[in-house]
Amino acid sequence: MLLLIQYTLIFASVLILVALGGCFSEHSGVINIGLEGIMVMGALGGALMMKFLPAGTSAPVIILLVVLASILLGVIYSLLLAVAAINFKADQTLVGTAMNLLGTAAATVFVKAMNTAESVDNVSSTIQYIEPKKAFLVNIGSFEFNWFMLLAFVALVLAYITLYKTRFGLRLMACGEHPQAADSVGINVYKMRYAGVLISGMLGGLGGIVYITAGVSEWKFENGVAGFGFLALAVMIFGQWKPTRIALAALLFGLFRALANVYTGFDFLTALQLPSNVYNMLPYIISLIVLAFTSQHSRAPKAEGVPYDKGMR
């Protein structure tokens, strides 16, 4: 049971971070379908930092540098969406889809090229981070606490305060509801939308490194992030674009994802003799069922996905 809680919390942490990222972007009026690609880029940045950090680096420094590398690469990659959607008024769904395809492909090519340069016999897209990963873990009895769990909780609290208790957050949401009205009172809609997309890149990139370090000490980048970016979008929609509800939805989906790792520890689940792939599919099946029954009552920001034209009223 303790192992189930452990995996639920770490997978929920991934979903909270990435879904909050999507929440900020969509509250600003930009649909971010590209969270999957952003996660891959963030994971790549963090994994490379862990790979090339010198041996003997202290745990706090490892945590800080890995988090910063993931955030930086996630933000840089999210600029593709920001420039295309805000400056060039491109179709946001198509841009996000292209980012997802490009993210996994680019990371795979880069890691294979890097591994080949180090050893001609190594053409895999795998990066190992066995020792650096230990900096994120603290054993509390038989429970393995991960500092990313605390980071996700802090991000959740800050997201709630930012969106509902600060001038910036209220202005950001105004740009996603009625950008023309926001512009009429002096709010720069373009800057607010840039801020929303870049925050989503920051949180999405961070979610990527959390995901690839959850329970494993190496990652094969041609696998991407197994659809977790889309699962985070489902969490965001189910959570009605509100941080507190997103957290509850993330715990639910995280629980079903955790079952794939620990189902053998439960006799009644083992007795069912279901293939392990069924448990891997569970969170995605649940997301389809949940969205089928709840999406018609969802209330997305009114102006999301609509390119802002200053001349329109």
Side-chain angles (χ1 to χ4, degrees):
M1 179 59 72
L2 203 58
L3 196 59
L4 177 62
I5 295 173
Q6 176 184 309
Y7 275 107
T8 297
L9 289 176
I10 193 62
F11 285 124
S13 297
V14 178
L15 293 172
I16 287 171
L17 289 167
V18 183
L20 286 176
C23 182
F24 271 94
S25 182
E26 298 205 6
H27 271 309
S28 74
V30 179
I31 297 175
N32 193 348
I33 300 294
L35 288 170
E36 184 98 352
I38 291 172
M39 284 182 71
V40 173
M41 283 295 139
L44 177 63
L48 288 174
M49 181 60 72
M50 286 191 285
K51 178 179 176 64
F52 291 111
L53 277 174
T57 305
S58 64
V61 173
I62 291 175
I63 294 171
L64 178 62
L65 292 179
V66 169
V67 167
L68 288 177
S70 300
I71 288 175
L72 180 62
L73 214 55
V75 168
I76 291 172
Y77 196 63
S78 67
L79 276 171
L80 293 176
L81 174 63
V83 172
I86 300 169
N87 293 91
F88 296 105
K89 298 179 174 57
D91 186 289
Q92 296 167 14
T93 303
L94 291 179
V95 174
T97 303
M99 287 174 64
N100 290 334
L101 297 173
L102 175 63
T104 302
T108 301
V109 170
F110 179 83
V111 176
K112 282 188 174 183
M114 180 187 69
N115 287 338
T116 303
E118 292 179 353
S119 172
V120 178
D121 298 325
N122 184 9
V123 292
S124 73
S125 62
T126 302
I127 294 180
Q128 287 190 341
Y129 36 84
I130 299 172
E131 288 302 317
K133 180 195 166 184
K134 295 177 181 177
F136 296 92
L137 305 177
V138 178
N139 291 317
I140 305 174
S142 56
F143 179 80
E144 191 176 77
F145 174 78
N146 192 312
W147 286 111
F148 282 131
M149 297 175 187
L150 178 61
L151 196 60
F153 177 75
V154 171
L156 178 66
V157 173
L158 290 177
Y160 179 85
I161 293 172
T162 301
L163 285 174
Y164 299 113
K165 305 296 181 181
T166 67
R167 179 182 297 180
F168 169 80
L170 295 174
R171 289 184 173 188
L172 185 81
M173 290 192 289
C175 292
E177 291 293 336
H178 202 306
Q180 282 76 21
D183 189 22
S184 69
V185 295
I187 299 173
N188 190 318
V189 176
Y190 297 114
K191 286 184 178 179
M192 296 307 293
R193 289 194 167 184
Y194 256 96
V197 174
L198 294 183
I199 290 172
S200 77
M202 177 181 73
L203 293 171
L206 192 53
I209 190 62
V210 180
Y211 178 75
I212 70 164
T213 55
V216 295
S217 298
E218 64 177 29
W219 192 255
K220 193 173 185 178
F221 276 86
E222 63 190 65
N223 293 334
V225 289
F228 244 64
F230 293 105
L231 194 59
L233 286 173
V235 167
M236 179 189 69
I237 296 169
F238 185 43
Q240 293 291 296
W241 293 267
K242 297 178 180 178
T244 50
R245 292 189 181 185
I246 283 174
L248 295 174
L251 286 170
L252 173 65
F253 285 88
L255 171 64
F256 286 108
R257 175 61 183 83
L259 283 175
N261 293 69
V262 301
Y263 74 94
T264 53
F266 294 89
D267 293 337
F268 71 96
L269 291 177
T270 307
L272 295 175
Q273 296 184 340
L274 295 175
S276 60
N277 288 336
V278 172
Y279 294 98
N280 288 325
M281 291 165 56
L282 266 181
Y284 307 100
I285 295 172
I286 298 299
S287 69
L288 289 173
I289 295 172
V290 167
L291 291 179
F293 286 100
T294 63
S295 59
Q296 58 184 345
H297 303 295
S298 298
R299 186 193 174 283
K302 290 181 181 178
E304 73 163 8
V306 181
Y308 175 62
D309 185 348
K310 195 175 179 70
M312 289 181 61
R313 286 292 182 268

